[in-house]
C-alpha cells in the first residue's frame, strides 16, 4: 500500500542545533496518525517540512507519491499550533482569500465557505471583523480556513491546545468524520488520552529523533503485560525495597509498578503481603503515558 | 517557479484592505487641500511683489547739507528731516519707543573724505530694508559725485541704464520658455520631500504589516499555501500600488487645478474689469476706460503645470526606490517581533534616505554640481535626488538611464538579500536576532 505521507531520513539543523535527526515514518491512507513527544522534540519542525514551509537539509518527503511542492501544499489542510487570522479583515473576505491561496476558484471557494459557515452556525458572522469575535468563534473560523479547500490530508499541530471543551469535542467529531470519508489525518499532541482514543499509528519523538513508532495496539502489546497495579492498606515503605522494578505512579495506597528485566510479579506480591493488606493485584499492559515517559527517559539515559 | 496568480491574490488583498480604510480616504483628500494652500501661497508670493507693510520712517541727520533733498525725492514717506528743536538723544528715545524706525547720520566729511554714514535703528525691517536704504544712499551719492565732476549727460545716462535680463529656459523641444529659477527650485525641493515622505511612510506601513502578520501567526497559514518570496513580492507590489493610487489622485487634482486656474482667474478679473468699466462709463459718458488695463498677464500660471514625461520619471524612480527600500523594511519586519525591536535595524536604512533628503536642498541650488550628479546616480539616493535634479535642471538623457539601470541592479540585489532574511525571519519567534545572525540567514542557501 502506497503511503500518503512518506518521510525518509529527514534531518534539519538550525545553526548548530539539530532539530530533526534522521527521522523516517509513513502514514497510510485513511489513518489517524499521532505525532507525540515532549516540547522541543522536533514535531513542529517536521510538520513544517511536510507542509513545505521549511526544506529538510537532508532526506526526502513525498506526499501522495510526489515530492513536496506548492502542488502538494494544496492537497493539505494545515492548522498550525499558533493560530492566527487577520484581525482587521472581515470573516468572509478572509476565508475567501485563504481558500483561493490554496488554489480554489472564486466560485468554488464561495460554495465551500458558505457550506462550512452554515455547518458551524456561523453564517451571521460573515461581515464581522475577526477582532470582534470571541476566542471560540475565531477558533471555528480558523478551522474552516483549514478545511474549506477539501484537502485529502489534514495536518493539525496541537489541535486541542487552547480549545474550550465544546470546540474540542467538535473538532474530535470532525476528525473522525473526515477519517470516515477516507481522509488521512496527522496530528501532534501531548494529550495521551486523545491519542489512545483516536490514533491508529503513532510516532514518538524525542530530542529530534523518532524513538518509537508503529501501530498503537501492537506497540502496547510489545511491551507485554509488564505492569502491576497494586491497591493496598498500610505502610508504603516496602515499595522502596522492591528490586528490578520501576514505580511509575504511587500514592498513599496505590502503586503502578513497571517490571524490568527478570522481575517476577509473584515476588512483588509476596513482599507486599508481608507489609500491607492487599486489596487489588492486577497484571496489565502499560498505559501510553507510561510508554511515553519511559521511552523518553530511556533515550535520555542513552544520550 | 513563482506563482503569479497567487501573487496577484496577495496584491489584491494588500491593496483592497488599505484603500478601503478611513485613513487612506482622509490622507488622500486632505493632502490636495494642503497642496492647494501651497499653490495659493506661491501665487500670492509671485503676484504681490509690493509689500503692504507700514512705510518705514527714517530721520536724516545731514551735516553735509546735500544728502537729504535727493533722498526725500526718492522716497518722501521714508526720509523725513530732523526738526530744529530735536536733539540726537530725543531721536534715540523715539526709536526706542518704536515711534521711529531709525536715523541716518551723514558726517560733514561724508562726501569729501568718505567717512562712513551711520544707520541707527530699532532692529525692525530686516535685511531687505537695510539693503534698500543702502542702495538709496549709494544712488544719491553717485548722483552728487557725477554732478560735482560735471560729467556729460551721456555718461549720466550710461550710469542710469538698467539693462533687462530675461530668464528663459530652453526645453527639450527647442522652444525657450519663461523660466523662474526660484519656482523650480522650490518645486524641486517639494518633490524631493514628497518622495522622501512616500518612501518612509509607505515603507513603515509595509514593515508594520509584516510584523503584524508575524505576531498574529497568520504567516504560517499563508506560507503553507505560498512561498515566502511570493508573499513578500505581493505585499511590496500591493503597498506600492496603494502609493501610486494616492499619488495619481494627487497629481490629477494638481493638474486639474493648474489647468483650471488660468481661465478661472481670467473670468474673475474680466468680471471685475467689466464692473469697473461700467462704473466709469456711468460717471463719464465719453469713457476713460482706455486707462484701465484691458488684460492682466496670467502666463506665469503656466510655470505651475507639470510635464507628463516628468510624471512618468517620477513614478519610475518612486517605484524602483520604494521596492528597493521596502524590501529591506520587509526583511526588518520579519526579523523582529515588535516595532520597538525594529529601531536598531532601522537606523542603517534611514541614514541613506536622510542623506538623500538633506542633499536635496543643495541639489535644488546647484543641480549640475559634481555632488548633485553623484547623488543622482548613486542608487540609495537617486530616487530622491534624480527627480529633484530633473525638475530643476536639464539632466542629460544618458545620466537618467544610467541612474535607472543602477537603481534596478541594486533593487534586485536588495530583494534577493531581503528575501533570505524574510524567509527565515517570519518563522522565528522570541529572541531578537543580532546582525551576525542576519548574516547567517543570508548565507543559508
Amino acid at each position: 500500500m502506497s503511503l500518503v505521507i512518506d518521510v525518509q531520513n529527514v534531518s534539519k539543523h538550525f545553526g548548530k542545533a539539530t532539530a530533526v535527526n534522521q527521522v523516517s515514518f509513513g502514514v497510510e491512507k485513511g489513518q489517524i496518525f499521532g505525532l507525540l513527544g515532549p516540547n522541543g522534540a522536533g514535531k513542529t519542525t517536521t510538520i513544517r517540512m511536510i507542509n513545505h514551509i521549511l526544506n529538510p537539509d537532508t532526506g526526502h518527503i513525498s506526499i501522495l507519491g510526489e515530492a513536496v511542492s506548492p502542488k502538494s501544499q494544496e492537497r493539505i489542510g494545515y492548522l498550525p499550533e499558533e493560530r492566527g487570522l487577520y484581525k482587521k479583515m472581515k470573516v468572509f473576505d478572509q476565508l475567501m482569500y485563504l481558500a483561493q491561496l490554496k488554489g480554489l476558484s472564486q466560485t468554488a471557494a464561495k460554495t465551500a465557505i458558505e457550506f462550512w459557515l452554515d455547518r458551524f452556525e456561523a453564517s451571521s458572522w460573515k461581515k464581522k471583523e475577526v477582532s470582534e469575535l470571541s476566542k471560540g468563534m475565531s477558533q471555528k473560523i480558523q478551522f474552516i480556513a483549514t478545511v474549506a479547500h477539501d484537502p485529502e490530508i489534514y495536518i493539525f499541530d496541537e489541535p486541542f491546545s487552547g480549545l474550550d471543551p465544546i470546540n474540542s469535542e467538535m473538532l474530535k467529531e470532525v476528525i473522525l468524520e473526515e477519517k470516515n470519508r477516507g481522509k488521512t489525518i496527522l496530528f501532534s499532541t501531548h494529550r495521551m488520552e486523545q491519542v489512545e482514543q483516536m490514533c491508529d499509528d503513532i510516532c514518538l519523538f524525542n530530542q529530534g529523533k523518532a524513538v518509537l513508532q508503529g501501530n498503537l495496539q501492537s506497540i502496547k502489546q510489545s511491551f507485554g503485560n509488564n505492569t502491576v497495579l497494586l491497591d493496598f492498606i498500610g505502610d508504603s515503605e516496602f515499595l522502596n525495597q522492591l528490586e528490578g522494578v520501576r514505580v511509575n505512579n504511587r500514592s498513599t495506597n496505590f502503586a503502578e509498578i513497571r517490571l524490568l528485566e527478570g522481575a517476577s510479579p509473584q515476588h512483588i506480591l509476596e513482599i507486599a503481603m508481608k507489609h500491607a493488606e492487599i486489596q487489588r493485584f492486577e497484571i496489565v499492559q502499560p498505559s501510553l503515558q507510561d510508554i511515553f515517559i519511559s521511552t523518553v527517559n530511556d533515550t535520555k539515559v542513552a544520550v | 517557479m513563482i506563482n503569479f496568480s497567487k501573487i496577484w491574490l496577495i496584491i489584491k488583498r494588500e491593496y483592497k484592505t488599505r484603500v478601503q480604510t478611513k485613513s487612506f480616504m482622509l490622507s488622500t483628500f486632505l493632502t490636495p487641500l494642503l497642496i492647494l494652500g501651497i499653490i495659493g501661497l506661491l501665487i500670492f508670493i509671485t503676484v504681490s511683489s509690493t509689500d503692504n507693510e507700514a512705510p518705514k520712517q527714517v530721520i536724516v541727520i545731514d551735516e553735509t547739507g546735500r544728502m537729504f533733498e535727493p533722498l526725500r525725492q526718492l522716497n518722501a514717506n521714508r526720509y523725513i528731516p530732523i526738526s530744529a528743536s530735536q536733539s540726537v538723544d530725543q531721536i534715540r528715545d523715539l526709536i526706542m519707543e518704536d515711534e521711529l524706525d531709525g536715523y541716518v547720520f551723514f558726517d560733514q566729511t561724508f562726501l569729501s573724505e568718505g567717512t562712513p554714514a551711520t544707520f541707527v535703528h530699532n532692529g525692525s525691517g530686516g535685511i531687505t530694508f537695510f539693503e534698500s536704504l543702502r542702495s538709496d544712499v549709494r544712488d544719491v551719492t553717485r548722483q552728487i559725485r557725477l554732478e560735482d565732476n560735471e560729467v556729460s549727460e551721456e555718461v549720466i545716462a550710461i550710469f542710469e541704464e538698467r539693462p533687462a535680463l530675461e530668464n528663459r529656459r530652453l526645453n527639450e523641444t527647442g522652444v525657450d520658455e519663461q523660466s523662474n529659477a526660484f519656482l523650480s527650485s522650490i518645486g524641486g525641493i517639494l518633490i524631493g520631500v514628497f518622495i522622501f515622505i512616500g518612501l518612509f511612510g509607505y515603507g513603515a506601513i509595509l514593515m508594520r504589516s509584516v510584523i503584524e502578520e508575524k505576531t498574529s501567526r497568520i504567516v504560517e497559514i499563508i506560507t503553507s499555501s505560498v512561498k515566502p518570496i511570493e508573499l513578500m513580492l505581493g505585499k511590496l507590489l500591493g503597498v506600492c500600488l496603494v502609493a501610486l493610487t494616492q499619488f495619481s489622485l494627487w497629481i490629477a487634482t494638481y493638474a486639474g487645478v493648474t489647468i483650471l486656474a488660468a481661465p478661472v482667474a481670467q473670468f474673475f478679473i474680466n468680471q471685475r474689469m467689466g464692473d469697473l468699466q461700467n462704473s466709469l462709463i456711468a460717471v463719464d459718458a465719453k469713457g476713460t476706460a482706455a486707462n484701465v488695463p484691458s488684460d492682466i498677464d496670467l502666463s506665469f500660471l503656466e510655470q505651475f503645470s507639470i510635464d507628463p514625461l516628468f510624471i512618468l520619471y517620477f513614478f519610475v524612480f518612486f517605484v524602483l526606490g520604494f521596492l528597493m527600500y521596502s524590501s529591506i523594511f520587509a526583511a526588518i519586519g520579519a526579523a523582529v517581533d515588535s516595532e520597538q525591536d525594529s529601531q536598531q535595524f532601522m537606523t542603517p536604512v534611514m541614514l541613506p534616505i536622510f542623506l538623500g533628503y538633506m542633499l536635496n536642498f543643495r541639489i535644488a541650488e546647484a543641480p549640475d554640481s559634481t555632488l548633485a550628479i553623484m547623488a543622482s546616480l548613486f542608487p540609495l539616493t537617486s530616487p530622491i535626488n534624480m527627480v529633484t535634479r530633473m525638475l530643476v535642471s536639464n539632466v542629460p538623457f544618458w545620466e537618467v538611464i544610467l541612474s535607472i539601470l543602477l537603481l534596478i541592479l541594486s533593487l534586485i540585489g536588495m530583494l534577493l538579500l531581503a528575501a533570505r532574511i524574510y524567509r527565515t525571519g517570519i518563522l522565528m519567534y522570541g529572541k531578537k536576532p543580532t546582525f551576525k545572525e542576519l548574516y547567517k540567514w543570508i548565507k543559508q542557501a
Side-chain angles (χ1 to χ4, degrees):
Chain A
M1 186 168 185
S2 75
L3 294 170
V4 173
I5 303 173
D6 189 7
V7 177
Q8 283 175 0
N9 299 319
V10 164
S11 296
K12 179 76 187 173
H13 306 269
F14 294 113
K16 285 190 184 102
T18 304
V20 175
N21 190 358
Q22 292 290 319
V23 165
S24 301
F25 63 86
V27 181
E28 285 168 21
K29 187 171 160 53
Q31 268 193 337
I32 298 182
F33 189 94
L35 225 49
L36 283 66
N39 288 327
K43 291 172 301 191
T44 296
T45 304
T46 307
I47 284 178
R48 283 177 175 174
M49 288 190 286
I50 296 172
N51 276 301
H52 196 44
I53 295 172
L54 293 174
N55 292 323
D57 294 339
T58 57
H60 186 79
I61 300 173
S62 50
I63 302 292
L64 295 155
E66 284 173 32
V68 283
S69 68
K71 203 93 217 113
S72 74
Q73 285 186 327
E74 293 182 356
R75 308 174 83 166
I76 298 175
Y78 173 44
L79 184 71
E81 178 177 4
E82 300 277 359
R83 321 282 154 71
L85 293 167
Y86 287 111
K87 290 192 180 63
K88 288 278 157 213
M89 212 174 164
K90 296 208 171 72
V91 166
F92 185 74
D93 295 346
Q94 178 139 231
L95 290 173
M96 283 296 283
Y97 174 60
L98 294 173
Q100 287 180 62
L101 281 185
K102 280 289 184 191
L104 246 55
S105 73
Q106 200 161 354
T107 41
K110 193 162 181 279
T111 321
I113 289 162
E114 274 170 356
F115 167 81
W116 281 103
L117 281 173
D118 201 42
R119 155 137 198 213
F120 288 142
E121 292 160 0
S123 296
S124 57
W125 308 344
K126 266 187 187 177
K127 296 258 177 258
K128 282 194 175 166
E129 283 181 8
V130 171
S131 56
E132 298 172 65
L133 301 182
S134 73
K135 206 174 169 197
M137 287 155 105
S138 62
Q139 281 168 352
K140 283 186 184 170
I141 301 303
Q142 188 96 51
F143 185 75
I144 296 176
T146 313
V147 299
H149 62 293
D150 194 26
E152 289 142 273
I153 302 164
Y154 289 105
I155 295 180
F156 303 123
D157 197 357
E158 299 285 353
F160 300 101
S161 77
L163 287 195
D164 61 46
I166 296 169
N167 277 331
S168 188
E169 202 50 39
M170 180 200 80
L171 178 61
K172 211 171 105 183
E173 256 172 49
V174 175
I175 290 178
L176 292 173
E177 199 179 296
E178 291 296 309
K179 175 192 154 85
N180 290 338
R181 288 178 59 208
K183 304 296 170 78
T184 308
I185 294 134
L186 177 147
F187 71 87
S188 78
T189 185
H190 293 108
R191 305 254 301 259
M192 295 308 149
E193 77 276 11
Q194 252 132 15
V195 176
E196 296 208 80
Q197 285 167 18
M198 298 166 70
C199 288
D200 301 304
D201 283 10
I202 60 158
C203 179
L204 176 57
F205 270 66
N206 193 39
Q207 297 180 338
K209 286 182 185 155
V211 288
L212 182 68
Q213 56 177 298
N215 181 276
L216 179 61
Q217 291 316 315
S218 6
I219 287 175
K220 286 178 97 170
Q221 272 162 25
S222 76
F223 277 79
N225 290 345
N226 66 352
T227 301
V228 170
L229 300 181
L230 203 60
D231 282 12
F232 57 89
I233 300 172
D235 189 4
S236 67
E237 179 56 30
F238 72 92
L239 291 170
N240 299 332
Q241 297 173 17
L242 298 175
E243 278 171 14
V245 302
R246 189 170 63 217
V247 181
N248 282 329
N249 205 346
R250 67 191 279 181
S251 58
T252 349
N253 35 27
F254 169 77
E256 185 188 316
I257 301 159
R258 170 85 178 274
L259 303 168
L260 301 178
E261 208 71 25
S264 141
Q266 301 310 318
H267 182 61
I268 293 172
L269 184 59
E270 235 171 78
I271 297 175
M273 282 172 71
K274 279 185 201 157
H275 295 85
E277 183 186 325
I278 305 304
Q279 299 209 310
R280 173 164 79 129
F281 177 82
E282 194 180 354
I283 302 171
V284 294
Q285 284 180 358
S287 68
L288 190 55
Q289 178 88 15
D290 179 27
I291 294 175
F292 179 90
I293 291 169
S294 60
T295 313
V296 166
N297 286 341
D298 283 354
T299 44
K300 257 185 204 148
V301 173
V303 170
Chain B
M1 274 294 282
I2 279 179
N3 186 328
F4 288 101
S5 66
K6 285 187 178 173
I7 293 185
W8 180 239
L9 283 172
I10 297 167
I11 293 176
K12 270 201 298 193
R13 193 202 85 86
E14 295 292 326
Y15 184 77
K16 270 197 199 159
T17 52
R18 288 204 170 74
V19 171
Q20 286 166 354
T21 57
K22 278 195 196 105
S23 64
F24 178 81
M25 305 273 179
L26 270 178
S27 64
T28 306
F29 293 109
L30 285 183
T31 315
L33 290 181
L34 197 77
I35 296 180
L36 270 183
I38 293 173
I39 293 175
L41 196 72
L42 283 177
I43 292 179
F44 179 75
I45 290 170
T46 324
V47 174
S48 62
S49 46
T50 51
D51 54 324
N52 34 9
E53 262 186 306
K56 303 273 179 205
Q57 290 204 315
V58 176
I59 286 183
V60 181
I61 307 174
D62 181 14
E63 291 192 350
T64 63
R66 298 184 63 186
M67 293 297 290
F68 174 68
E69 194 48 35
L71 280 173
R72 196 189 61 82
Q73 278 169 16
L74 270 178
N75 193 339
N77 288 330
R78 181 183 288 172
Y79 301 106
I80 50 177
I82 182 167
S83 58
S85 57
Q86 271 175 326
S87 71
V88 173
D89 283 340
Q90 280 172 325
I91 294 174
R92 282 175 177 264
D93 286 344
L94 283 177
I95 294 171
M96 279 162 71
E97 287 158 17
D98 283 343
E99 296 289 315
L100 187 71
D101 293 297
Y103 70 89
V104 198
F105 174 71
F106 295 104
D107 195 84
Q108 260 181 328
T109 53
F110 172 70
L111 286 168
S112 52
E113 287 166 31
T115 323
T118 328
F119 175 46
V120 180
H121 59 99
N122 59 3
S124 73
I127 188 82
T128 26
F129 176 52
F130 181 71
E131 284 300 327
S132 85
L133 198 75
R134 182 151 73 178
S135 101
D136 285 354
V137 170
R138 208 179 277 160
D139 285 354
V140 167
T141 315
R142 186 195 291 145
Q143 197 67 38
I144 292 170
R145 292 219 192 283
L146 288 170
E147 279 165 20
D148 287 357
N149 290 296
E150 289 166 3
V151 175
S152 70
E153 291 291 319
E154 285 84 3
V155 177
I156 293 174
I158 290 170
F159 273 98
E160 280 174 355
E161 201 180 1
R162 291 280 179 279
L165 178 62
E166 245 191 292
N167 189 347
R168 300 185 79 82
R169 172 178 162 178
L170 198 64
N171 68 10
E172 289 80 2
T173 48
V175 179
D176 59 334
E177 52 196 11
Q178 178 106 31
S179 164
N180 190 326
F182 173 70
L183 267 187
S184 67
S185 293
I186 294 277
I189 289 173
L190 280 182
I191 204 94
V193 171
F194 207 59
I195 294 185
F196 169 76
I197 294 174
L199 289 181
F200 232 134
Y202 282 103
I205 286 176
L206 183 86
M207 187 178 80
R208 216 171 296 138
S209 137
V210 171
I211 294 178
E212 194 207 313
E213 279 180 358
K214 188 181 169 181
T215 50
S216 76
R217 314 281 170 147
I218 182 113
V219 73
E220 188 151 356
I221 295 183
I222 308 276
T223 49
S224 76
S225 304
V226 301
K227 292 201 188 94
I229 177 99
E230 291 166 347
L231 176 60
M232 189 175 115
L233 283 177
K235 292 184 79 68
L236 281 173
L237 294 173
V239 175
C240 189
L241 274 185
V242 177
L244 292 187
T245 305
Q246 201 161 46
F247 287 170
S248 304
L249 286 172
W250 290 343
I251 290 172
T253 313
Y254 180 88
V257 167
T258 48
I259 289 169
L260 285 178
V264 168
Q266 191 68 58
F267 173 76
F268 281 113
I269 288 166
N270 287 345
Q271 212 172 33
R272 258 182 45 202
M273 291 295 168
D275 291 348
L276 204 58
Q277 283 178 348
N278 286 343
S279 60
L280 283 172
I281 288 162
V283 171
D284 181 350
K286 278 178 190 162
T288 37
N291 295 339
V292 181
S294 59
D295 201 4
I296 287 177
D297 185 19
L298 285 169
S299 65
F300 72 88
L301 282 172
E302 281 169 21
Q303 292 162 22
F304 292 99
S305 68
I306 328 176
D307 181 6
L309 191 67
F310 176 75
I311 295 177
L312 178 73
Y313 280 124
F314 168 79
F315 277 138
V316 167
F317 276 98
F318 178 77
V319 168
L320 294 177
F322 173 81
L323 292 180
M324 177 179 69
Y325 273 113
S326 291
S327 61
I328 310 174
F329 282 124
I332 294 174
V336 299
D337 283 355
S338 70
E339 240 174 290
Q340 289 96 307
D341 286 349
S342 67
Q343 292 306 326
Q344 177 199 348
F345 301 109
M346 287 287 280
T347 319
V349 187
M350 274 153 56
L351 280 177
I353 307 187
F354 265 116
L355 182 70
Y357 173 74
M358 304 295 249
L359 283 173
N360 217 26
F361 297 95
R362 295 292 304 277
I363 285 161
E365 260 171 43
D368 300 309
S369 61
T370 316
L371 178 75
I373 294 173
M374 303 242 290
S376 61
L377 290 179
F378 182 57
L380 290 179
T381 51
S382 65
I384 295 175
N385 295 148
M386 182 52 105
V387 175
T388 297
R389 237 189 107 202
M390 288 175 75
L391 194 68
V392 180
S393 159
N394 269 325
V395 181
F397 185 65
W398 70 267
E399 278 184 27
V400 179
I401 293 300
L402 178 65
S403 174
I404 290 177
L405 282 180
L406 287 173
L407 192 52
I408 290 176
L409 281 181
S410 41
L411 157 66
I412 293 171
M414 289 290 188
L415 259 181
L416 291 178
L417 287 187
R420 291 184 162 200
I421 295 178
Y422 184 83
R423 186 183 56 187
T424 312
I426 47 171
L427 294 173
M428 292 275 184
Y429 297 100
K431 193 164 75 62
K432 181 173 70 170
T434 59
F435 280 103
K436 209 173 136 192
E437 277 167 306
L438 290 189
Y439 178 67
K440 267 189 206 156
W441 294 358
I442 291 173
K443 272 205 323 190
Q444 274 169 21

